[in-house]
Amino acid sequence: MFRNFFKAGAGIALAAAAALAGAQDFPTKAVTIVVPFAAGGPTDTVARLIASSMSNTLHQQVIVENAGGAGGTIGANKVAKAKPDGYTLLLHHIGQSTAPSLYRKLPFDPVKDFEPVGLITDVPMTFIARKDFPPKDMKDLIAYVKANKDKVTYANAGIGSASHLCGMLFMTAIQTELTTVPYKGTAPAMNDLLGGQVDFMCDQTTNTTGQIKAGKVKVYAVTTPKRVPSLPDVPTMQESGLKDFDVAVWHGLYAPAGTPKAAIDKLANALQVALKDPKIKERFAELGTEPVAADRATPAALGKHLKAQIELWSPIIKKAGVYAD
């Protein structure tokens, strides 16, 4: 009996030692970052910039995989259920903190089922419209949508997406319900906006700055208290009369719960190196954002921020009575 007990204990110890050794050697193969939205959207853009730099630091290819749908919950659930070895990661935005309030049957716990790696960036948002949309500025837009609420269409990237949340806050602020048109990602929503199939939307500067500068869309305002350096002529929502309107979209990197600390530490280091990369800083600036400070690109900082954001959004969403199946 004691001999069997000893063998079992030795087996457990050897398995633990092997797992530790594997984590210390990490990575020995390609790492996949799952983006829970369609390719071409703002979160996808952030992921691909980060992946390129992290590949150099980790000396292994970092691949971006798009798993869109259900406001990001399909991709997030895929990572939550993945093997916790550091080779499958999730790059998600603010939706990671709003999902618990939006979904009645969420198949994962945003806090318990993930190991935070670090924050990446805070992205302002912009209100844009099809090029020939009649309103000339935000005050005119508010008056127009109130007068034509049954005709105006607001596009978003799906329930729980950043564009959905921004639109929900906008409709609450102006006390007017609009016809919303959900898509499976920002890219298809933008395509229909450019084609004139929908009227307007609120989206991250990482996806709108290029379209704005090219004159392909009409821009009304940015959603942060201060103007965005890359769009200096675009007024803020507060300047446009909505004094309490303030929303930015933060992005974070996660691994499945149970991922060894040694692997998390290497991933966090690679992320921090990426955020200091001059090329990434330059590209982020072109997109209207910037990397977070070094002390926020850590597992502890992301874990704390996620919990605080869940507490912030929960009463807002519940008061609005918005739920997804």
Side-chain angles (χ1 to χ4, degrees):
M1 177 174 138
F2 287 107
R3 183 178 298 171
N4 291 337
F5 179 80
F6 176 78
K7 288 182 177 179
I12 294 172
L14 287 172
L20 178 60
Q24 290 174 339
D25 292 337
F26 174 87
T28 59
K29 60 181 181 179
V31 174
T32 298
I33 295 179
V34 175
V35 173
F37 303 103
T43 304
D44 180 67
T45 299
V46 170
R48 293 181 188 280
L49 288 170
I50 293 300
S52 178
S53 177
M54 290 182 68
S55 294
N56 295 330
T57 303
L58 295 171
H59 304 295
Q60 291 289 344
Q61 187 176 9
V62 179
I63 302 167
V64 175
E65 176 186 325
N66 298 93
T73 61
I74 291 175
N77 187 51
K78 180 176 183 177
V79 177
K81 303 298 189 292
K83 185 178 180 180
D85 54 10
Y87 290 99
T88 305
L89 309 177
L90 172 71
L91 197 154
H92 203 347
H93 61 33
I94 191 173
Q96 186 78 339
S97 65
T98 58
S101 301
L102 281 169
Y103 293 87
R104 292 187 176 93
K105 296 180 180 179
L106 195 65
F108 60 88
D109 186 307
V111 176
K112 295 180 181 179
D113 290 340
F114 295 90
E115 299 286 351
V117 176
L119 281 159
I120 299 172
T121 183
D122 292 311
V123 184
M125 302 188 77
T126 53
F127 274 94
I128 59 173
R130 54 183 170 84
K131 195 174 180 180
D132 57 350
F133 199 44
K136 62 182 184 299
D137 55 30
M138 179 53 71
K139 291 181 180 179
D140 195 19
L141 172 66
I142 293 172
Y144 184 88
V145 298
K146 282 187 173 184
N148 298 276
K149 63 180 182 179
D150 295 329
K151 299 178 182 178
V152 172
T153 51
Y154 174 84
N156 66 53
I159 293 177
S161 66
S163 53
H164 170 239
L165 296 170
C166 185
M168 185 172 63
L169 289 177
F170 179 69
M171 285 183 273
T172 298
I174 66 173
Q175 299 181 334
T176 303
E177 290 293 324
L178 302 174
T179 300
T180 60
V181 183
Y183 290 81
K184 291 183 178 180
T186 300
M190 177 65 78
N191 286 338
D192 273 8
L193 183 74
L194 293 172
Q197 281 78 35
V198 287
D199 293 321
F200 79 115
M201 65 187 292
C202 176
D203 199 9
Q204 302 171 57
T205 53
T206 46
N207 198 49
T208 63
T209 300
Q211 307 289 3
I212 293 169
K213 289 186 173 181
K216 294 182 179 180
V217 296
K218 183 177 289 188
V219 60
Y220 291 99
V222 296
T223 62
T224 45
K226 295 182 179 180
R227 294 195 180 196
V228 177
S230 60
L231 299 169
D233 297 329
V234 180
T236 66
M237 292 291 281
Q238 296 184 15
E239 290 174 326
S240 303
L242 295 180
K243 296 182 179 180
D244 297 324
F245 201 102
D246 178 9
V247 60
V249 180
W250 52 273
H251 293 78
L253 188 64
Y254 309 82
T259 300
K261 184 177 183 302
I264 294 293
D265 288 345
K266 288 186 177 181
L267 290 167
N269 176 68
L271 175 62
Q272 290 162 11
V273 171
L275 297 182
K276 295 175 183 176
D277 187 331
K279 293 182 179 179
I280 287 182
K281 287 185 176 181
E282 181 181 357
R283 182 64 178 134
F284 272 16
E286 292 173 356
L287 297 170
T289 186
E290 60 184 6
V292 298
D295 61 347
R296 297 184 67 207
T298 65
L302 175 55
K304 182 179 179 180
H305 186 70
L306 175 61
K307 291 177 181 178
Q309 284 283 292
I310 290 174
E311 293 178 359
L312 171 67
W313 281 101
S314 178
I316 295 173
I317 293 171
K318 288 179 180 178
K319 184 178 180 181
V322 178
Y323 297 99
D325 293 331

